[in-house]
């Protein structure tokens, strides 16, 4: 039975997997049709016909993960690391009958590489579905507070 | 002490045969001289007329160090001004785009201006009576950029009053813009999306050079495009349809022979393009319904002619690159000697299927975004170059690939696609437009 606590634990676990660079375990959290989305416009509705910073399916996320470990991935020499500082997730929907589970989490994300440290603030919206006994990510959407700023490289996952 | 200011000879000496001196990338004085001479002497992209669809719409931009403002006037005409109030210098518009209504109003003292720049009103006007205000430049309103040309909705401006005409400056190179516009069944492009912005800690010219550098994709992008191809081969299973994403990534891994045969065309004044005979954009899957629309609009022959012209990257000197086949323009905006803002714009082909726009937006975020793995590969190389050029081991950057002695300058030619000649072509233009007005200014100062 999916409870609000199950959803909250899931979101903390997801951030922990990213922070500890357990990429494969992170990919396993996604539903086969799952998407990871970072919009480029305020309150964006359409990931396809409006511009986004990222809108990736599982194949593309696998490419990213595999690339991070590549021998000739020069932008990862030295490697990046990341840190998520999460506020308590707000449960937006937890409807076990309809199978709709949604949460919104405000957080600060830090990505570092070499001597550089970059900080981003935003909100993650998780749309989750129940598969067997577990939750899977149907959509992880990251709305940055400064989505329109000119960023340098963002190499890991927010 | 300045080393290069008012010294056309020293600047010209930075470009020799097939090498350029590292100072063109790392010397802050050279950067300031580019802002003072190179950009004002060149025709620089300001924006697209579709961003100014109604009277009162405006956009802001920079040409070199100069903030400018473009607006649509009530009679439909487009004007470009220096973005400063003639009174105390306050910027009139601070947003990238917007609508000002019938007039601009300075937020400091409420001087107001018509959308053609002329002075509309000053509060307490009688305080200026008998002061000779009418004889001042301020009484004319916003200072106009006199040389503005709108070519098929692309707004270009040259800040210096004297210089090479628009037609002489771009010449045949405008064929890439023509092709991009003609790809719309209605012959029209529209900016609907905000640009992807990406801050690069490197000199702006490294980005421009990279647009016609065909010897790096299979090396630098092995990590991104190479991995994409490998993962797809492994994961595709029984799938016969190649996803759009893999169609976009895959061609980056084409072998040297592919790029050699694709060819590069150079034009006078530093313009040039890759992908003459073939390009990395050639083998995308057809979008259902599109060809039919094009044939209906242009007729069979002309439609195929338009769609058969599939250029890769067209460099418009000094600082934009146009990709006609995927409707993208990248603007390399110089901020400092080692800092460049990259704005990547996508145009919608008016009247064409949504799928084409979807593909263009996808290409833009796959290749040109701060979250793009292909972009990460490139920026890493630029940053390493910016660092490495500090080395005293060698002061010169080598551009000798497929160099022929007594290479003609300011000509049109089609050459081997792995040549570094387009980079030499750019540096020849760089020296020309850097020094064009320098001797004259020296004389004026003496």
């Amino acid at each position: 039975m999916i409870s609000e606590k199950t959803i909250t634990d899931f979101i903390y676990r997801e951030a922990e997997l990213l922070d500890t660079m357990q990429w494969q375990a992170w990919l396993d959290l996604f539903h086969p049709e799952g998407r990871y989305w970072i919009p480029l416009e305020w309150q964006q509705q359409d990931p396809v016909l409006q511009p986004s910073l990222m809108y990736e399916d599982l194949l593309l996320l696998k490419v990213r993960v595999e690339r991070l470990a590549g021998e000739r991935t020069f932008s990862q020499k030295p490697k990046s690391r990341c840190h998520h500082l999460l506020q308590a997730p707000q449960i937006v929907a937890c409807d076990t009958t309809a199978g709709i589970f949604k949460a919104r989490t405000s957080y600060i994300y830090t990505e570092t590489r070499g001597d550089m440290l970059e900080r981003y603030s935003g909100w993650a919206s998780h749309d989750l579905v129940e598969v067997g006994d577990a939750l899977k990510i149907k959509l992880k959407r990251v709305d940055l507070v400064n989505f329109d700023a000119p960023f340098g490289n963002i190499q890991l996952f927010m | 002490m300045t080393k290069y200011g008012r010294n056309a000879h020293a600047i010209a000496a930075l470009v020799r045969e097939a090498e350029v001196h590292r100072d063109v990338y790392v010397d802050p004085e050279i950067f300031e001289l580019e802002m003072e001479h190179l950009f004002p002497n060149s025709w620089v992209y300001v924006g697209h007329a579709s961003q100014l669809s109604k009277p009162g719409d405006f956009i802001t931009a920079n040409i070199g160090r100069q903030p400018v403002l473009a607006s649509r006037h009530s009679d439909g005409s487009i004007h470009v001004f220096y973005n400063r109030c003639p009174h105390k210098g306050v910027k009139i518009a601070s947003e990238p785009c917007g609508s000002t209504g019938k007039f601009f109003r300075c937020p400091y003292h409420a001087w107001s201006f018509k959308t053609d720049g002329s002075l509309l009103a000053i509060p307490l006007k009688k305080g200026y009576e008998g002061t000779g205000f009418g004889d001042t430049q301020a009484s004319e309103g916003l200072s106009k950029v006199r040389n503005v040309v709108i070519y098929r909705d692309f707004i270009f401006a040259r800040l210096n009053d004297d210089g090479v005409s628009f037609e002489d400056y771009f010449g045949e190179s405008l064929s890439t813009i023509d092709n991009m516009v003609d790809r719309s069944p209605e012959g029209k492009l529209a900016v609907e999306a905000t640009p992807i912005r990406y801050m690069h800690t490197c000199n702006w010219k490294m980005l421009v050079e990279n647009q016609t550098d065909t010897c790096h994709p299979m090396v630098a992008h092995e990590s991104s495009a190479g991995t994409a191809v490998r993962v797809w081969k492994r994961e595709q299973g029984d799938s016969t349809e190649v996803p759009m994403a893999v169609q976009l990534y895959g061609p980056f891994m084409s072998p040297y022979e592919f790029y050699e045969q694709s060819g590069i065309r150079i034009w006078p004044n530093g313009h040039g393009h890759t992908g003459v005979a073939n390009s990395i954009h050639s083998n995308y899957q057809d979008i259902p319904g599109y060809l039919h629309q094009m044939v209906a609009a242009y007729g069979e022959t002309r439609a195929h002619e338009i769609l058969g012209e599939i250029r890769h990257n067209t460099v418009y000197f000094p600082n934009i690159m146009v990709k006609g086949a995927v409707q993208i323009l990248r603007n390399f905006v110089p901020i400092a000697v080692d800092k460049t803002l990259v704005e990547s714009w996508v145009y919608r082909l008016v009247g064409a299927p949504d799928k084409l726009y979807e593909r263009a937006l996808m290409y833009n975020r796959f290749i040109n975004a701060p979250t793009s793995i292909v972009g990460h590969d490139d920026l890493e190389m630029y940053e390493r170059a910016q660092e490495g050029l500090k080395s005293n081991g060698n002061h010169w950057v080598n551009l000798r690939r497929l160099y022929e002695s007594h290479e003609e300058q300011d000509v049109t030619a089609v050459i081997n696609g792995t040549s570094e000649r387009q980079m030499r072509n750019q540096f020849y233009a760089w020296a020309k437009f850097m020094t064009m007005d320098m001797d004259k200014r020296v004389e004026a100062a003496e």
Side-chain angles (χ1 to χ4, degrees), chain B residues 69 81-93 104-113 119 121-122 137-138 141-143:
Chain B
L69 166 64
F81 319 105
Y82 290 85
N83 188 3
R84 100 186 265 290
C85 180
H87 179 207
K88 301 287 283 277
V90 170
K91 260 185 166 181
I92 293 297
F104 290 106
R105 180 179 184 270
C106 178
Y108 198 5
H109 300 93
W111 285 33
S112 60
F113 311 91
L119 186 62
I122 301 177
Q137 195 184 338
L142 300 174
S143 297

Side-chain angles (χ1 to χ4, degrees), chain B residues 85-146:
Chain B
C85 180
H87 179 207
K88 301 287 283 277
V90 170
K91 260 185 166 181
I92 293 297
S94 58
E95 292 169 291
C97 61
S99 178
T100 194
K102 288 201 181 340
F103 58 90
F104 290 106
R105 180 179 184 270
C106 178
Y108 198 5
H109 300 93
W111 285 33
S112 60
F113 311 91
K114 291 184 195 165
T115 44
D116 65 358
S118 55
L119 186 62
L120 179 64
I122 301 177
L124 293 170
K125 194 161 186 202
K126 61 174 186 266
Y128 288 94
E129 279 167 18
T131 65
F133 177 71
D135 299 329
T136 65
Q137 195 184 338
S139 70
E140 292 162 21
L142 300 174
S143 297
K144 243 184 174 158
V145 176
R146 287 196 188 86

